Amino acid sequence: MLIELHLLQSFPVSNLNRDDLGQPKTARFGGHTRARISSQSLKRAARTLLAQHGLDPSELGVRTKRLRDAAASLLAQRGRDNQEAVEVCQAGLEEIGFAAHKATGLTKYLLHVGKPAQTLLADYCEERWDTLAKTVAEAKKRKEKQDKTSRKTTTKKPTKQAQEQAKRILDGTRAADIALFGRMIADNTDFNVNAASQVAHALSTHAVINEFDYYTALDDLRPDAEPAADMIGTVDFNTACFYRYANLDLDQLATNLPDDPDLVARSARAWLYSFIHAVPGGKQNSMSARTMPQTLLGVVRETGAWNLANAFLSPVTDVPDLMAASTQRLVDHFQQLRSFYGSTQLRHTTIATIGSDPAGMPQNETAPTLDDFVSRLLTATKG
């Protein structure tokens, strides 16, 4: 059972997701340059909204490289010496297979863990304090004997007991965002979580050319007799109507959040609202491109998945209303697929638009409000 979300969203002057040169990201599609927003950027924007749409912060995970110092801080609050706590937590992380850099305390990649992870790591280190402290002391002795130029950092393979502890600390079965967006841990694939949600890069429905804004700034204390710009620069931007697509596999979500149908249901609802409201934060302070989707097409299906980006393989151009034309393209392409491939796999379809309804969609598949749109989709998953 999948929920599919197809959105059309127009942004004015903006640079929501920039590349290494500071320019808005683009892609060639259908032989034309399109504006692009990466899936990672959209997922980040949606993930930060989950707590606003029905999920408690305790039901969400944390992405961090600073697990060592977070656990050490808890141990310091319990009365342990802070420096010793840092060293013991360093040894504890290494023991379960996730070494942190000794100087910075950062693990080599972000760990997406449940909220209790730092407390569980602190508990583990406190229970094994004497053993881990001894490990720290022995490591210091070895360090003194080794030639600094030949010293190498090695991580021992965790014991079975340590693996069980790592499983508890990295448990993500109560974290909705880990269940939704998945987790990959290269050092131990046993802790990987298959994402329940797939998210496409957003592409403009039309061709774009990136532009730039030339600006100047004045020194407020400069004497009037010395008029001039004290700072000049450029900011890249574009304007675009984006097609956005994402889907949610409810069976995978239930697998990732076992034995908690209430959390699964609330996570699906939060996912819908969060993705509809998600707007990346790039350059928002200077451009404030805070718009909402104007066309929302939702599909509940038994199998398969249809990304409708090919509706815009030929870019929309020379039309008086870009959003209306893009909406009609989207609906026409969807209806063509439904006609050719059949609709037996489709359980429910609903569309909501701000403005006139497109031709070709049955009246009973039109939702008048966002809440009705979401409610129809969620109700269809229960049938």
Side-chain angles (χ1 to χ4, degrees):
M1 180 85 68
L2 270 76
I3 300 176
E4 289 187 307
L5 197 56
H6 309 268
L7 306 174
L8 291 176
Q9 187 168 6
S10 181
F11 290 102
V13 172
S14 58
N15 188 349
L16 300 171
N17 184 211
R18 52 190 183 269
D19 63 18
D20 57 333
L21 299 178
Q23 299 175 340
K25 290 184 177 180
T26 59
R28 294 282 292 179
F29 182 64
H32 297 267
T33 300
R34 312 298 181 96
R36 176 172 66 91
I37 302 175
S38 72
S39 59
Q40 298 92 329
S41 178
L42 291 167
K43 283 188 282 188
R44 166 69 180 175
R47 191 169 68 86
T48 60
L49 297 176
L50 291 170
Q52 299 179 26
H53 295 290
L55 292 176
D56 190 271
S58 64
E59 296 171 326
L60 300 172
V62 176
R63 287 174 50 165
T64 184
K65 290 184 174 183
R66 295 170 171 81
L67 199 55
R68 184 199 75 175
D69 289 349
S73 179
L74 291 176
L75 289 173
Q77 293 173 24
R78 299 175 188 179
R80 298 287 187 176
D81 177 78
N82 185 67
Q83 184 56 39
E84 285 185 89
V86 168
E87 293 174 344
V88 166
C89 288
Q90 174 82 26
L93 266 178
E94 289 180 0
E95 190 171 77
I96 65 173
F98 298 96
H101 191 282
K102 287 181 171 58
T104 65
L106 305 180
T107 52
K108 64 182 180 180
Y109 47 75
L110 286 166
L111 291 174
H112 200 176
V113 296
K115 283 285 173 64
Q118 52 195 301
T119 301
L120 290 170
L121 177 59
D123 292 344
Y124 174 70
C125 291
E126 191 157 43
E127 290 169 5
R128 293 180 52 77
W129 184 275
D130 292 340
T131 301
L132 293 173
K134 182 179 178 181
T135 300
V136 171
E138 292 173 349
K140 287 181 178 179
K141 289 180 180 179
R142 287 195 302 271
K143 179 180 178 181
E144 292 172 357
K145 295 179 181 180
Q146 288 174 336
D147 180 1
K148 292 183 179 180
T149 60
S150 63
R151 189 186 310 138
K152 294 181 180 179
T153 300
T154 58
T155 303
K156 295 180 180 179
K157 186 176 181 180
T159 64
K160 185 176 180 180
Q161 179 186 6
Q163 281 274 54
E164 289 299 316
Q165 291 297 330
K167 187 176 180 180
R168 288 181 61 244
I169 294 168
L170 272 70
D171 178 41
T173 58
R174 302 268 64 81
D177 50 347
I178 295 178
L180 288 167
F181 303 120
R183 176 175 70 189
M184 186 185 77
I185 296 180
D187 290 342
N188 193 329
T189 57
D190 291 340
F191 299 124
N192 288 354
V193 177
N194 292 326
S197 174
Q198 295 179 334
V199 183
H201 290 238
L203 288 174
S204 65
T205 64
H206 52 93
V208 299
I209 298 175
N210 285 343
E211 303 177 69
F212 66 90
D213 174 39
Y214 172 83
Y215 68 87
T216 64
L218 299 179
D219 186 334
D220 291 340
L221 300 182
R222 173 184 285 274
D224 292 340
E226 300 179 18
D230 292 283
M231 177 177 160
I232 60 175
T234 59
V235 176
D236 295 89
F237 70 90
N238 61 30
T239 64
C241 174
F242 286 95
Y243 166 67
R244 296 172 49 200
Y245 171 73
N247 65 49
L248 177 62
D249 185 333
L250 294 175
D251 294 330
Q252 185 65 52
L253 183 62
T255 298
N256 294 347
L257 298 172
D259 306 318
D260 197 340
D262 176 66
L263 181 55
V264 171
R266 288 188 294 110
S267 296
R269 183 180 184 278
W271 177 87
L272 278 166
Y273 276 106
S274 295
F275 260 101
I276 291 168
H277 285 87
V279 176
K283 290 292 183 181
Q284 287 289 18
N285 287 345
S286 56
M287 299 183 183
S288 194
R290 298 288 180 179
T291 62
M292 295 295 293
Q294 289 184 246
T295 298
L296 303 86
L297 174 63
V299 179
V300 177
R301 57 169 65 244
E302 302 286 352
T303 59
W306 292 347
N307 182 321
L308 303 180
N310 282 344
F312 312 107
L313 192 62
S314 174
V316 179
T317 185
D318 296 328
V319 292
D321 188 332
L322 180 62
M323 178 60 70
S326 297
T327 298
Q328 194 61 60
R329 281 273 200 100
L330 184 74
V331 169
D332 290 346
H333 185 62
F334 176 70
Q335 295 291 48
Q336 288 167 358
L337 290 176
R338 182 151 65 170
S339 175
F340 185 82
Y341 289 103
S343 58
T344 55
Q345 59 186 320
L346 306 179
R347 174 176 286 198
H348 177 80
T349 302
T350 188
I351 190 170
T353 61
I354 298 175
S356 57
D357 294 331
M361 290 295 289
Q363 188 62 37
N364 65 348
E365 293 184 354
T366 302
T369 66
L370 172 60
D371 288 341
D372 186 59
F373 174 83
V374 172
S375 178
R376 289 185 185 205
L377 293 175
L378 295 177
T379 299
T381 66
K382 302 172 184 177

